[in-house]
């Protein structure tokens, strides 16, 4: 159970840094590089370095300066996985407010995130 608790703390740290727009600190919670599966990258797994992770989220923060994630629930799954259900929200450049439900599966090995697989509706 200790590993699950540590994994939950690590997953929460991702969202704490995200919500403070501390992109470099957030990127530092991942291996360099780490595997990502995200509709914004297409359907294939993409490897991202710390620099690429910070750049991607930094650009997102420039487009949506008030972007924020509200964690709905965290589901530990075995020794290596944590599933996080959350709602991302922000304001588009045209002033439109938006929300997006997302589910991310983190794979954590030796106290660091090796995989970040996110699922959300792209329509």
């Amino acid at each position: 159970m200790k590993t699950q608790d540590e994994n939950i703390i690590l997953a929460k740290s991702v969202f704490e840094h995200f919500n403070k727009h501390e992109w470099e600190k957030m990127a530092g919670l991942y291996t360099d590089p780490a595997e990502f599966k995200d509709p914004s990258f297409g359907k294939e797994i993409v490897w991202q370095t710390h620099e690429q992770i910070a750049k991607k989220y930094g650009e997102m923060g420039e487009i949506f300066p008030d972007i924020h994630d509200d964690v709905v629930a965290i589901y530990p799954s075995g020794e290596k996985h944590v599933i996080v259900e959350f709602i991302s929200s922000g304001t588009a450049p045209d002033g439109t407010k938006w929300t997006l439900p997302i589910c991310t599966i983190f794979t954590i090995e030796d106290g660091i995130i090796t995989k970040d697989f996110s699922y959300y509706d792209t329509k």
Side-chain angles (χ1 to χ4, degrees):
M1 285 304 195
K2 183 179 178 210
T3 300
Q4 279 189 350
D5 293 341
E6 292 168 351
N7 290 349
I8 290 169
I9 290 167
L10 180 59
K12 286 180 178 179
S13 294
V14 170
F15 291 92
E16 289 169 12
H17 291 308
F18 182 93
N19 287 334
K20 293 178 183 176
H21 297 192
E22 298 172 338
W23 313 123
E24 290 82 11
K25 287 182 181 178
M26 187 184 87
L29 301 174
Y30 292 82
T31 55
D32 191 6
E35 289 181 66
F36 283 79
K37 189 186 292 183
D38 186 304
S40 69
F41 293 129
K43 295 184 179 186
E44 302 300 318
I45 292 172
V46 175
W47 289 87
Q48 294 278 284
T49 64
H50 285 169
E51 184 178 328
Q52 290 169 315
I53 295 166
K55 182 177 187 283
K56 175 187 191 273
Y57 287 102
E59 289 171 353
M60 196 183 315
E62 288 176 19
I63 296 168
F64 310 111
D66 62 341
I67 194 166
H68 184 85
D69 289 343
D70 288 308
V71 173
V72 175
I74 298 177
Y75 310 96
S77 179
E79 293 286 317
K80 291 184 175 184
H81 297 96
V82 174
I83 302 159
V84 182
E85 177 185 357
F86 61 100
I87 306 291
S88 193
S89 63
T91 306
D94 67 1
T96 307
K97 300 270 186 195
W98 56 269
T99 60
L100 181 65
I102 302 173
C103 184
T104 295
I105 303 167
F106 292 112
T107 301
I108 301 168
E109 299 176 64
D110 299 321
I112 193 160
I113 299 166
T114 59
K115 297 178 185 177
D116 179 321
F117 289 7
S118 294
Y119 300 91
Y120 52 89
D121 189 355
T122 58
K123 295 178 185 178

